[in-house]
């Protein structure tokens, strides 16, 4: 009896120790090479999962546990055990680390392609330019982005966009994450000065809510570097459903660009942009915002002049008259 109680006691203590034992931190190495190296020691079901991930990692990161299990004809617990076996905390952790790895791989590929194209465009004498040319790379790519956008911007689309904004009952500006949210705020800054009824939304939830109360005669202006954020696409679908005019400042070959009523095309830089360099596309988008605001003011005519004069007068009381400063600022 005593011996049995002692065994039970030891067993319980062992369980407590296991519960209090800190979890091993997951390996921070790349997932895909690890899966390839571990396949010899995996079970048949784990090999099936690993092969599917290695064959189509992009598809796997978009799947849920349920859909992945159904697709592979295995149980959901099997997938969860697989995640822990390869050093991840769970299914979400596995997908997150896969996305990181895929994004880094794509960035490195892009950088390599850009470097190759840049070297080919520069010609054999480029190496002699030395460090000074490297120092000018940021400037050069900004100028290239501005020039390319100026040459590809369709004036008829710009004018149609300006006319829609000038007569809109209200304008909502959408941008999400990174520079796009900041540029959306700048678009609002440009338009409210012209007495345009405009609001800016940089959160996915409020974008959806505001899109749901738009109506015919309203304008939704979308700003995006990639033209792919799901939040913006869904808000655009809502805005179009309620018959608002949808304008996008993005690449015309993206989902947002293709689905909008009017797209003011701004394409990503073809080459010459390093991984660590801020994207010069935002300068091109800012140029388009300024061109659009300029055209809106031209369409409004005297109404815009009056609004700007009144606004300038209101701030002149604070800092006086600043020489050489445009009335729009």
């Amino acid at each position: 009896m005593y011996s049995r109680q002692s065994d039970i006691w030891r067993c319980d203590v062992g369980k407590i120790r296991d519960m209090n034992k800190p979890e091993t931190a997951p390996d921070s190495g790349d997932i895909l090479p690890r899966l390839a190296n571990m396949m010899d020691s995996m079970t048949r079901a784990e090999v099936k999962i690993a092969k599917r991930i290695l064959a189509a990692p992009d598809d796997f990161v978009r799947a849920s546990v349920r859909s992945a299990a159904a697709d592979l004809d295995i149980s959901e617990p099997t997938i969860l055990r697989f995640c822990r076996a390869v050093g991840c905390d769970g299914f979400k952790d596995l997908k997150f680390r896969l996305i990181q790895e895929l994004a880094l791989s794509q960035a490195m590929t892009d950088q390599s392609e850009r470097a190759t194209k840049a070297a080919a465009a520069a010609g054999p004498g480029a190496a002699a330019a030395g460090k000074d040319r490297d120092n000018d790379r940021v400037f050069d790519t900004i100028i290239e982005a501005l020039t390319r956008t100026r040459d590809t911007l369709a004036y008829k689309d710009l004018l149609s966009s300006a006319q829609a904004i000038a007569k809109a009952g209200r304008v909502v500006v959408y941008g999400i994450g990174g520079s796009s949210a900041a540029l959306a705020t700048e678009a609002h800054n440009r338009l409210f000065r012209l007495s345009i009824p405009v609001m800016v939304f940089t959160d996915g939830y409020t974008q959806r809510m505001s899109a749901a109360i738009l109506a015919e005669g309203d304008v939704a202006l979308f700003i995006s570097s990639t033209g792919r954020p799901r939040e913006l696409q869904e808000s655009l679908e809502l805005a179009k459903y309620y018959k608002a005019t949808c304008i996008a400042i993005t690449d015309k070959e993206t989902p947002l660009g293709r689905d909008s009523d009017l797209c003011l095309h701004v394409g990503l830089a073809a080459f010459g942009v390093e991984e660590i360099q801020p994207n010069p596309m935002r300068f091109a988008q800012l140029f388009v915002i300024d061109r659009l605001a300029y055209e809106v003011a031209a369409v409004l005519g005297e109404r815009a002049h009056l609004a700007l004069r009144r606004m300038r007068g209101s701030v002149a009381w604070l800092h006086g008259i600043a020489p050489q400063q445009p009335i729009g600022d």
Side-chain angles (χ1 to χ4, degrees):
M1 185 73 176
Y2 175 81
S3 176
R4 184 180 177 187
Q5 288 178 336
S6 299
D7 289 342
I8 294 173
W9 180 82
R10 292 191 191 98
C11 181
D12 290 342
V13 170
K15 288 179 181 178
I16 294 171
R17 286 174 178 169
D18 288 340
M19 291 173 62
N20 292 334
K21 183 179 179 181
E23 293 185 5
T24 304
D27 187 353
S28 60
D30 291 340
I31 289 291
L32 295 176
R34 187 189 314 166
L35 295 183
N37 293 331
M38 291 179 63
M39 286 181 65
D40 290 342
S41 61
M42 289 181 178
T43 65
R44 183 178 301 176
E46 289 173 342
V47 168
K48 183 186 288 189
I49 300 170
K51 284 184 175 179
R52 179 58 57 86
I53 295 174
L54 292 170
D58 288 325
D59 294 336
F60 190 83
V61 297
R62 289 192 290 268
S64 64
V65 176
R66 179 176 298 178
S67 63
D71 186 43
L72 292 166
D73 194 25
I74 58 178
S75 68
E76 294 178 27
T78 299
I79 292 183
L80 298 177
R81 286 194 296 270
F82 170 85
C83 294
R84 291 191 291 271
V86 298
C88 298
D89 291 335
F91 189 70
K92 287 185 178 180
D93 185 41
L94 173 62
K95 292 205 301 181
F96 178 72
R97 295 169 72 178
L98 273 172
I99 290 171
Q100 284 186 315
E101 186 172 339
L102 293 171
L104 177 59
S105 176
Q106 185 63 54
M108 297 302 291
T109 299
D110 291 345
Q111 183 176 353
S112 177
E113 290 177 355
R114 289 166 179 163
T116 301
K117 291 177 181 178
K131 190 172 180 59
D132 288 342
R133 179 172 293 277
D134 290 336
N135 291 339
D136 288 338
R137 180 173 297 171
V138 172
F139 177 83
D140 291 341
T141 54
I142 291 170
I143 296 301
E144 187 272 335
L146 288 170
T147 303
R148 177 164 41 84
T149 301
R150 179 194 61 189
D151 294 341
T152 58
L153 185 62
Y155 180 72
K156 65 179 182 63
D157 292 336
L158 185 69
L159 181 58
S160 296
S161 299
Q163 291 170 339
I165 290 173
K167 66 180 182 182
R170 57 184 158 180
V171 177
V172 291
V173 188
Y174 298 146
I176 196 162
S179 62
S180 295
L183 288 168
T185 302
E186 176 59 16
H188 169 269
N189 186 40
R190 291 295 115 198
L191 294 176
F192 93 84
R193 298 163 183 265
L194 303 174
S195 192
I196 298 293
V198 58
M199 297 182 70
V200 59
F201 299 96
T202 59
D203 170 77
Y205 279 83
T206 52
Q207 286 171 356
R208 289 179 64 90
M209 290 188 289
S210 63
I213 59 173
L214 294 175
E216 189 173 2
D218 294 337
V219 169
L221 176 61
F222 297 83
I223 302 174
S224 175
S225 300
T226 65
R228 298 181 183 279
R230 173 57 57 187
E231 295 94 329
L232 294 183
Q233 292 182 55
E234 292 176 351
S235 294
L236 184 141
E237 291 172 5
L238 279 169
K240 290 185 72 173
Y241 178 81
Y242 291 109
K243 296 183 171 55
T245 299
C246 295
I247 303 169
I249 300 177
T250 190
D251 191 315
K252 64 182 179 182
E253 298 302 328
T254 63
L256 206 64
R258 289 192 296 266
D259 293 343
S260 60
D261 298 309
L262 293 162
C263 180
L264 304 180
H265 174 65
V266 182
L268 289 165
F271 59 83
V273 181
E274 295 185 71
E275 180 187 354
I276 60 173
Q277 179 183 342
N279 195 334
M281 184 182 186
R282 72 188 193 284
F283 289 93
Q285 289 174 308
L286 186 59
F287 161 68
V288 173
I289 290 170
D290 281 1
R291 282 289 282 115
L292 180 59
Y294 181 84
E295 290 299 331
V296 171
V299 171
L300 291 172
E302 185 57 30
R303 174 183 160 190
H305 286 283
L306 176 61
L308 292 173
R309 284 195 295 267
R310 289 172 61 181
M311 189 170 296
R312 172 50 56 86
S314 71
V315 297
W317 286 98
L318 302 176
H319 57 63
I321 303 299
Q324 306 294 326
Q325 186 176 15
I327 194 170
D329 290 321

